[in-house]
Amino acid sequence: MKLLSISDVAKERDCIESYDEARDSSVVDEDKLLDSLETDLRSGGVIVDWHVCDIFPERLIDLVVVLRCSNSTLYERLEKRGYKKSKISENVEAEIMQVILEEAQDSYDEHIVIELNSDSKKESTANVKRLVSWLKKWIDDHPQGVSNELQVTDSESDANDDDDDEK
């Protein structure tokens, strides 16, 4: 699998149109970003890591995973990452209002959107196992769309995360 951290990809592929000082965040040119990702997404075997999902056409997406956590856990994680208080508050408020979950549910078929809690290492490990199981089934169901490089072994289902600082 190839992981695309969209924040990094947007910078690498010159898809940043401006910087929002108040939010302490880059503003992405979504059309340019999507154009630059089309080939990657069509090739399959890609995990897209970003807080926005509704820009991606459903034809390019097989599964949308929305990771959730308690507000106190989210606050602590973002604080550890050095986020400004205003950005932490905005993220916690979005979590309370289920903004990302609702965007995903409004943008994609209900069968491809799943919500997973990610408060603890135990939950994260269970999430990894669930996703590896889903991926194995997807590979079995799509043999024509799988390259020889895209294989999942049982050892990959063992999450080996030494800290509890998940996204």
Side-chain angles (χ1 to χ4, degrees):
M1 300 295 296
K2 180 178 180 181
L3 174 64
L4 294 177
S5 174
I6 299 303
S7 297
D8 295 338
V9 170
K11 292 172 188 165
E12 292 165 5
R13 298 183 185 182
D14 195 30
C15 298
I16 305 295
E17 62 183 32
S18 62
Y19 189 79
D20 184 336
E21 292 289 335
R23 289 184 150 171
D24 190 25
S25 181
S26 297
V27 177
V28 174
D29 180 334
E30 292 178 353
D31 290 331
K32 188 174 181 180
L33 174 69
L34 194 53
D35 287 344
S36 82
L37 290 171
E38 181 104 15
T39 302
D40 295 299
L41 295 175
R42 282 185 186 275
S43 67
V46 177
I47 298 172
V48 176
D49 178 10
W50 205 26
H51 61 278
V52 176
C53 63
D54 60 349
I55 71 163
F56 300 102
E58 189 168 356
R59 65 185 163 74
L60 298 175
I61 304 297
D62 293 304
L63 182 68
V64 177
V65 179
V66 179
L67 296 177
R68 306 289 309 274
C69 67
S70 69
N71 300 326
S72 59
T73 300
L74 179 60
Y75 189 95
E76 290 170 10
R77 288 177 183 170
L78 299 180
E79 193 173 50
K80 280 183 186 176
R81 293 180 191 170
Y83 281 31
K84 290 182 179 179
K85 294 287 185 199
S86 60
K87 191 168 184 172
I88 294 173
S89 295
E90 180 181 9
N91 278 270
V92 169
E93 184 176 313
E95 182 68 15
I96 292 168
M97 302 298 290
Q98 301 184 40
V99 172
I100 304 302
L101 179 61
E102 288 183 13
E103 283 178 3
Q105 291 170 333
D106 289 345
S107 300
Y108 302 100
D109 182 274
E110 67 184 47
H111 297 100
I112 70 166
V113 177
I114 62 171
E115 174 184 9
L116 299 175
N117 288 324
S118 181
D119 280 302
S120 67
K121 189 170 190 160
K122 182 178 179 181
E123 287 178 334
S124 295
T125 299
N127 292 342
V128 169
K129 289 181 179 182
R130 181 174 177 187
L131 293 172
V132 167
S133 175
W134 177 89
L135 181 59
K136 286 179 180 179
K137 180 162 178 22
W138 187 93
I139 290 170
D140 289 344
D141 292 346
H142 298 84
Q144 73 287 356
V146 178
S147 73
N148 291 333
E149 299 165 7
L150 182 58
Q151 297 181 15
V152 180
T153 63
D154 289 333
S155 64
E156 290 173 278
S157 66
D158 297 329
N160 187 15
D161 187 2
D162 291 334
D163 62 36
D164 217 13
D165 189 24
E166 304 125 29
K167 292 183 182 176

